[in-house]
Amino acid sequence: NHFLNSFLTWCSYKIFGFSMFALRIPNTIAGIFYVFTSFQIQKRGIDAISRVSIFVILTSSYFVLGFFSLSRGYGISFTFLLLAFWAYLEFYIDKKAKYGILVVIALVFAVWSNLSLMIPVLVILGFVSKMLHKLIFTFIFENIFIIVLLYLLMGIFIYLKN
C-alpha cells in the first residue's frame, strides 16, 4: 500500500544500515518539504494575519506531524498532496502549464506513497486535465497524460492483485 515509502526506506536501510532513525529518514525529509511547501502556500495569503494563520494551521497539527515520525507512507503522501495543492493554486492563478504538469506528477507520487488515495486523485486529475486541455493542445502533453493514467492503472492492478 506504501510502495514509494517502502522503496525509500529500503534505500535508506542500504545506505545507513538498520536503525529506527535510518528507517524514518524518508519521512523526516518529507516533513521538511511539507514545511517548505506550507511556506510557499502561505505566500498567497492576503495579509500578514492570514499568512501566519495558513502556515500555523498547516504545520501545527499533531496528527499530521505525527505521520512524519513514522516509517509509513502517510507523511510522504501528505507532502505530495500539499505540493499538488500548491501547484494547483499557482496553476489556477498564473495559468502556466508547468504548474499543471507538476500537479499531475505530485499526485502520481502521492498515490505511489499511499494507494488509498487513488480515487480522490483521479477526481483531482479530472479537474486539472480539463484546465490543462483548455490551455495547451500539444502532442507531448497528451502523451504525458496517457503515461500518468497508465501508471495509475498499473497501481490499480497491483492493488487488486494483492
Side-chain angles (χ1 to χ4, degrees), residues 74-129:
Y74 303 115
I76 297 171
S77 67
F78 284 172
T79 299
F80 282 116
L81 282 176
L82 195 65
L83 178 64
F85 178 73
W86 169 76
Y88 184 78
L89 284 176
E90 296 297 319
F91 177 62
Y92 186 78
I93 293 168
D94 295 339
K95 303 286 191 251
K96 293 182 180 175
K98 67 179 181 179
Y99 292 119
I101 293 170
L102 180 59
V103 170
V104 173
I105 292 169
L107 289 175
V108 167
F109 280 111
V111 168
W112 281 109
S113 300
N114 184 2
L115 282 178
S116 62
L117 295 174
M118 185 88 54
I119 302 302
V121 164
L122 287 174
V123 172
I124 296 168
L125 280 175
F127 287 114
V128 172
S129 67

Side-chain angles (χ1 to χ4, degrees), residues 97 101 132-146:
I101 293 170
L132 275 173
H133 195 338
K134 289 180 182 178
L135 189 62
I136 57 175
F137 293 99
T138 64
F139 175 77
I140 294 172
F141 172 72
E142 290 173 3
N143 287 330
I144 287 176
F145 188 71
I146 290 170

Side-chain angles (χ1 to χ4, degrees), residues 52-69:
V52 169
S53 299
I54 290 168
F55 186 75
V56 168
I57 288 169
L58 288 173
T59 59
S60 66
S61 171
Y62 171 76
F63 300 107
V64 172
L65 294 178
F67 286 122
F68 295 110
S69 66

Side-chain angles (χ1 to χ4, degrees), residues 4-23:
L4 184 60
N5 181 67
S6 297
F7 174 72
L8 294 175
T9 302
W10 178 79
C11 290
S12 179
Y13 164 74
K14 288 295 185 183
I15 295 170
F16 300 108
F18 181 77
S19 74
M20 297 307 271
F21 177 72
L23 298 178

